[in-house]
Amino acid sequence: MTRRARRVAGLVVAGGLAAGMLAACGNDGGGAAGDANNATLTFVNAQDPGTFDQVIAAFEKANPNIKVKQQVVPFDDLNPTVQSRLGAKDASIDLYDVDEPRLPAFVARGFLADLTDLRGPAQGKIDPKALDLTNYQGKQYALPRWTSTQLLC
């Protein structure tokens, strides 16, 4: 993976991790496991195992007090899994992958935090059209996962 691709991928996952932490903090279910000095976040996604390994490793290296545990589910099960667990206030889910077409529904259910403050740093590093896909009613609720074929390096 090229240096720029790692930086973009890091920004995307860091944004996702920040989103999950913000969502977890606003969740009555208790949020991330652990304490402020040593946390473990559970990341539910539908990507092939190993897809996020390098990005998570880089995030954990930059944030040694935070560990990320992945739970990979089949794509067809991702949205029902996330919706049922969040709807039940299951505190064991901290981060989750959101398919862009379903972003408005997740916002309406209160499952996503406002990440508009991350839009500025993302501009110029992420394709503007991809960034707009994760924007709803003038607010940024996620960052795009894959915005360039550079990630195929």
Side-chain angles (χ1 to χ4, degrees):
M1 188 180 288
T2 68
R3 186 175 192 202
R4 177 171 163 69
R6 278 194 302 272
R7 192 170 59 232
V8 170
L11 178 63
V12 170
V13 170
L17 293 172
M21 287 185 280
L22 290 172
C25 291
N27 182 345
D28 292 335
D35 58 40
N37 296 318
N38 189 16
T40 299
L41 302 175
T42 301
F43 173 36
V44 178
N45 67 77
Q47 300 302 315
D48 289 332
T51 299
F52 287 110
D53 287 353
Q54 289 181 338
V55 177
I56 289 171
F59 177 84
E60 289 178 341
K61 184 177 181 182
N63 301 277
N65 62 326
I66 302 173
K67 299 295 176 213
V68 179
K69 180 178 82 172
Q70 284 194 83
Q71 288 183 359
V72 178
V73 298
F75 178 79
D76 290 343
D77 296 338
L78 179 63
N79 287 305
T81 297
V82 170
Q83 289 181 35
S84 67
R85 289 175 70 180
L86 292 176
K89 302 209 184 290
D90 180 347
S92 71
I93 180 173
D94 301 299
L95 310 167
Y96 42 91
D97 208 0
V98 178
D99 194 23
E100 285 90 347
R102 296 193 171 113
L103 188 130
F106 275 60
V107 171
R109 289 181 176 92
F111 294 162
L112 298 177
D114 181 355
L115 301 176
T116 303
D117 60 326
L118 295 177
R119 186 175 177 90
Q123 289 176 326
K125 296 178 181 139
I126 295 176
D127 181 280
K129 291 183 183 198
L131 196 57
D132 286 343
L133 288 174
T134 53
N135 186 294
Y136 178 67
Q137 294 183 337
K139 294 182 180 179
Q140 197 70 42
Y141 285 100
L143 293 173
R145 290 172 292 173
W146 318 122
T147 63
S148 170
T149 56
Q150 289 177 341
L151 295 175
L152 299 175
C153 299

